[in-house]
Each structure stands twice: as structure tokens, then as C-alpha cells.
Amino acid sequence: MLRRGLRCGDFAGHSEEISADCGLCRRIGQGPAIQQASARKIGIMNQNQSNASVEPPKKRSLWRQPAGVYLVSATEFWERFSYYGMTAMLVLFLSSAIPDGGLGWSRDEALHAYGIFGGAAFALPALGGWICDRWLGHHRGVVGGGLGILAGNAALFAAGYVLGEMRTILAMAGLALVVFGTGLLKPAVSALIGGLYDSEDGDARQAGYTLFMMGIWLGSIGGTIFSGAFGEALGWRWGFLASAVGMALGLCLYLAQSDRLIGTMQRQPQAEIAANRQKGSVPGACLAIACMTFFTAIYAIAFYQKAGVLTLMVRDSTERFAFGATIPAALFLTVSTVGFVLLAPVAQMIDDKLAAQGRQPDIFMKQAAGLAALLIGYFFFIGAANESAGGGLHSPLWIVAGYLFFSVGDVLIWPPQISTISRIAPAHRVGLLIGVWYVTVGVGNYMAGWLGPLASEIGQVSYFISIQALLGVSIVILLVLRWTVPALRRAADPDAE
């Protein structure tokens, strides 16, 4: 619906066509231009109504999206470059000896600290989303958050040049700034995507968020390769500097192009925008969002083991020598992200075909399938643990195969979830509810780090089987709720209004 009708080259961020049906046009075009265009469009339709029926809106392909989607996705690419590059090094940095540039913490202390940091980074977006909805607006949330992340990585870089307590103080201050910045930026940048679509554009919106998530994972690949590898090879401070430079590039790009490709509307608090936006509430929306976020936390507990227990497993027990060199442990984290980038376009095409046939699975069926993909992936990690149980090294193929199933889970979880929340949430609470969704991801992230030391106590195989049991029980409960609670089924309908 975004591109039907007449030309609207005068409107920032939407230079294709104008339509009275388009939410973006209605929000930007408050003057006589939109009224005249609407009148002309109505006249054309009335003239042709007796001769032909109005054609239904064409399906939007994955790549044919508003230009603002590409800008926001590129901005998020650099933010995730910074974040995932830093987190790929975090446990290793905290647990490295002081002469090696680390803090000299124990393995368990480093895992607990990672859990606290990751949980806070995903929990603060609830507060940040509320602040952006209420006062700042999404544009200022992106800029303020980006500056906080940049300052945090700069502090971590500076920590490499000092010793003693000052190193710890600078490192903790840097992590706090990254958490603060992430709390503002994540809900704001995620909500910007949804603001580029009308409420009826459910399939196009999901495609837009698929591109957005591809930007996220491409950024995580770049960050892990450059920042993580720099940190391991040259010293941790250089990895943190690479993360700071990445965030600076993202901010410069966004500030240079946001007015032209997104417009100035998102500079207003969302509550003010909602006052002029007509959007009915979806029956059962809050219950559906609560259900999605709860099971997303379960997913995150299993998924984010890869930055803790699984990364340490790769470092200590995986055969990483190949082609005359040792592959950095952090590099294995890119397997699931590369898999997502490759699988996402294919998954979107399949989803579009199923939608055209009236057989598109709803959000809860996709979520159950995503949980099942992780459950299958853990069979490969169990195989790896068994192979290295005698003190030897296991094949890296176990890790690669397991992470590829993580890729399948990501495709089924992340784009559909955030797209659905942005579509069915009340207009004046989009940022807040996206932030609440991130909170549950943060809870899962924290629990992943908090539970991590159990792998040493009960053994890796028993630990991985316990995670599989959690995933299996969650799948059963989710499907039972989906079939027995009518409000969930109504909200899950892709065409629900």
C-alpha cells in the first residue's frame, strides 16, 4: 500500500508514490498536497469504477522496501558491529590475565559478569522505549544511544592503558555506558522500521524487519571478525577501538541521511504522533505480546549459551588448528549469523508463497518451530562433548552443525516477533512494548550467564540435555496455549486488525 496511487516526491523518506491509504503519507502530508492528491485519486477511481474493479495491492518483495528501511538497517549494522564485536571478547577479556590486558577474573566470575551485562543491555530498552515514546522521540533515542555506546567502547579502549583498580573502574564504566546507550537505541531504531509502514502492510512489514535483522547479523559477523579477532590477536584494547569506530560510522551515516530518507516526524515523541494516527487495537494484542515475550526468554536462555559456555567449549575443547593457523574461538560465533543471512531471503520467499496459498503459519507456530530448531542443534553439542570427554579435542563440524540450527531458529523467531509487536501494539506504546520484548531477551541472556557455571558442576552433556528438556516442555506449553486460548489465535492471525 505504500506505493500505490500518485507521485509524492515532495515528502521526505517516501519519494515513490502517494496514497490516501498509506499511513506514512497520512502522517507526513498534513497540508493541501495530500488532500488534493486524495481528491484526484478518488476522481480517477470513480471514473473507472464502472469499467473495472480496483486491483488489490501488489505484494512487496523482500528487497523492494522504502529507502528508510535500508538506512535504519545500515545504522543497526554498525551498532551491532560494535555490540557483538565487544561481547565476543567480553568473557575472554574478563578472564584473561592482567599482563595479557585482561582483568584476571575467574571463569565463573567472567560468566556471571557477562550474564549481568547482557541482561542489563536487553532489559534497559523497556525504560528506553518508554522515554522515547514519552519525551525524546525515536530519532533522539538513536542519536543519544549511539553516543553512549561510542563513549563506552572508548572507555574500554582506554582501560587497556592503565593498571590496577583504574583498569577495572574504566572497564565497568565503559560497560555501563554501553548498557545505557543500548537501552535507548534498541527500541528506538526497531520502532523506526515499523513507522515506515501502514498497519495493513503485515507481510511487507515482516519483509522489512527481515532486512533489518539481516543488517543486525551482518553487523555481528563484521564485529566478531574484526573486533573479536583484533582483540585476540593484537590486544583487547584494539578490539574495543574497532567497536568504537564502528558505532561512530553508524552515527555519521544516520545523521547525514535521516532527514532525507525518514523525515522529521520521528523526532516527535510517539505519544504526539499517535494523537494524529488512526490505528485500532488488535483484540488480544497485549496477551499475545506477553505470551511471545515469555517464550522468547526461553529461546534466549538456550541461544545465548553460545557467547558463554559454548564459546569456552570452543576455546578449550575444539580442534581449531587449520591451514597452518589457529582459528580464533570468537570466529565460530559467525556461523549462526552467516546462516541467518543466507537463510532469511529463502525463508521470506517461502513465507510469501504460503501466505498466497492461505497456509502461512502464525506467529506462535513459527515460535514453536524456532524452539524446536534449537533443541535439535543441542544434539550436535552433546556429540561434541562426548567426543572430547576423555580430554581430547572434538571436531569443529559439531559446532558448525549446531550453530546452523541456531540460524534456522533465528529466522523463525526474530523478524516475525518484532514485526508482529510493531503491528499490533497500541500506537503510543510501540517503543515501550518493543522494549519490554527486549527485556525478556535480556532475562534469557542473564539466565544464560547465570546458569553457565552449572556446566562445570554437572558436566556439559547433562547441562545440554537440561536445556533440551526446557525447550521441549516450552514447545508443548506454547502449542497448548495457542490452541486453547481464543484471544491468542485472533491476535496471531497475520491479517488481524
Side-chain angles (χ1 to χ4, degrees), residues 68 85 104 186 398 404 487:
K186 284 300 290 182
W398 290 110
L404 287 177

Side-chain angles (χ1 to χ4, degrees), residues 164-178:
E165 290 186 6
M166 184 55 66
R167 173 176 290 182
T168 302
I169 291 172
L170 272 177
M172 294 302 103
L175 292 177
L177 284 168
V178 171

Side-chain angles (χ1 to χ4, degrees), residues 293-481:
T293 52
F294 175 80
F295 289 101
T296 297
I298 303 297
Y299 181 89
I301 290 173
F303 178 82
Y304 284 107
Q305 299 293 329
K306 74 175 192 174
V309 170
L310 292 174
T311 292
L312 293 173
M313 180 183 181
V314 169
R315 185 188 70 179
D316 300 335
S317 307
T318 303
E319 176 56 69
R320 296 186 286 125
F321 188 81
F323 307 109
T326 299
I327 302 172
L331 198 60
F332 280 80
L333 295 174
T334 64
V335 173
S336 63
T337 53
V338 170
F340 177 93
V341 172
L342 296 176
L343 289 175
V346 178
Q348 186 62 46
M349 287 190 292
I350 294 173
D351 195 64
D352 289 342
K353 288 184 180 298
L354 291 175
Q357 298 169 5
R359 297 189 295 128
Q360 184 183 34
D362 63 47
I363 184 64
F364 297 114
M365 296 299 293
K366 292 177 182 177
Q367 190 170 31
L371 292 168
L374 258 62
L375 188 153
I376 295 171
Y378 270 92
F379 280 113
F380 295 95
F381 301 138
I382 292 172
N386 282 326
E387 184 175 313
S388 58
L393 300 177
H394 58 250
S395 169
L397 295 179
W398 290 110
I399 305 300
V400 171
Y403 279 164
L404 287 177
F405 277 92
F406 275 38
S407 303
V408 176
D410 284 352
V411 169
L412 293 167
I413 292 288
W414 304 128
Q417 293 260 311
I418 197 168
S419 170
T420 300
I421 293 173
S422 75
R423 179 175 61 84
I424 69 176
H428 63 295
R429 290 290 182 263
V430 173
L432 172 62
L433 291 176
I434 288 177
V436 169
W437 180 77
Y438 279 119
V439 167
T440 60
V441 177
V443 170
N445 201 327
Y446 170 77
M447 292 300 296
W450 186 79
L451 293 171
L454 288 176
S456 300
E457 298 178 15
I458 66 176
Q460 289 180 334
V461 172
S462 297
Y463 185 69
F464 294 152
I465 291 175
S466 299
I467 292 176
Q468 285 183 313
L470 175 64
L471 291 168
V473 171
S474 299
I475 292 169
V476 173
I477 294 174
L478 175 59
L479 292 178
V480 169
L481 288 174

